[in-house]
Amino acid sequence: MKIRIIDIFSELGVLHVSFHSPVGSGTALWSDSVPKAGMNIDMEFDFDEFFSWGNNMTHSSEKTPKITAIANVTYITAELSRGADEECAALNLSDSIILIELDGPPPLASGFVEVRTSRIHLYPTSI
């Protein structure tokens, strides 16, 4: 997904960025050399946690992908695609697919969900 770097900051010695994307804005851990504010970069999203239905993943009545940050939590609305493997699934977020790990199967195999996370890692795709 293409993002625009808004701000760069260090928190407890770990590099973070604030970003804006076509589906919203958020903050994430940065996993590359220090970027510059204003850069447009194609990124891969990675979530550093397991998702559990009713805990940090719920059904969404919204049918439009979006990213919203409130305090230190990022809310992502995306379409869930689950295969036969009950331990992982994919989130379709606009033009990106994000693989997630599940802590048990959700009650639906597909449809829009909202996930909440406080640890997003961004990796440049070099595209």
Side-chain angles (χ1 to χ4, degrees), residues 30-98:
W30 185 259
S31 301
D32 200 34
S33 58
V34 180
K36 293 182 181 178
M39 287 179 69
N40 292 308
I41 306 171
D42 192 69
M43 302 301 299
E44 179 179 326
F45 286 70
D46 183 39
F47 301 139
D48 190 20
E49 61 190 285
F50 286 87
F51 290 91
S52 176
W53 192 259
N55 181 24
N56 57 356
M57 180 186 341
T58 57
H59 178 264
S60 175
S61 59
E62 294 191 36
K63 305 296 182 216
T64 304
K66 73 176 183 177
I67 299 172
T68 306
I70 301 173
N72 292 329
V73 178
T74 302
Y75 298 83
I76 296 176
T77 302
E79 189 171 11
L80 176 73
S81 297
R82 195 177 60 145
D85 186 351
E86 294 184 355
E87 296 178 0
C88 62
L91 295 175
N92 298 312
L93 182 64
S94 186
D95 63 351
S96 294
I97 295 176
I98 303 167

Side-chain angles (χ1 to χ4, degrees), residues 3-21:
I3 66 164
R4 180 177 192 83
I5 304 295
I6 304 300
D7 190 24
I8 302 105
F9 60 96
S10 181
E11 191 172 286
L12 299 173
V14 178
L15 191 62
H16 290 73
V17 296
S18 296
F19 66 90
H20 181 73
S21 76

Side-chain angles (χ1 to χ4, degrees), residues 25-27 68-75 115-120:
S25 300
T27 301
T68 306
I70 301 173
N72 292 329
V73 178
T74 302
Y75 298 83
V115 296
R116 293 173 298 285
T117 182
S118 57
R119 295 193 47 92
I120 299 174

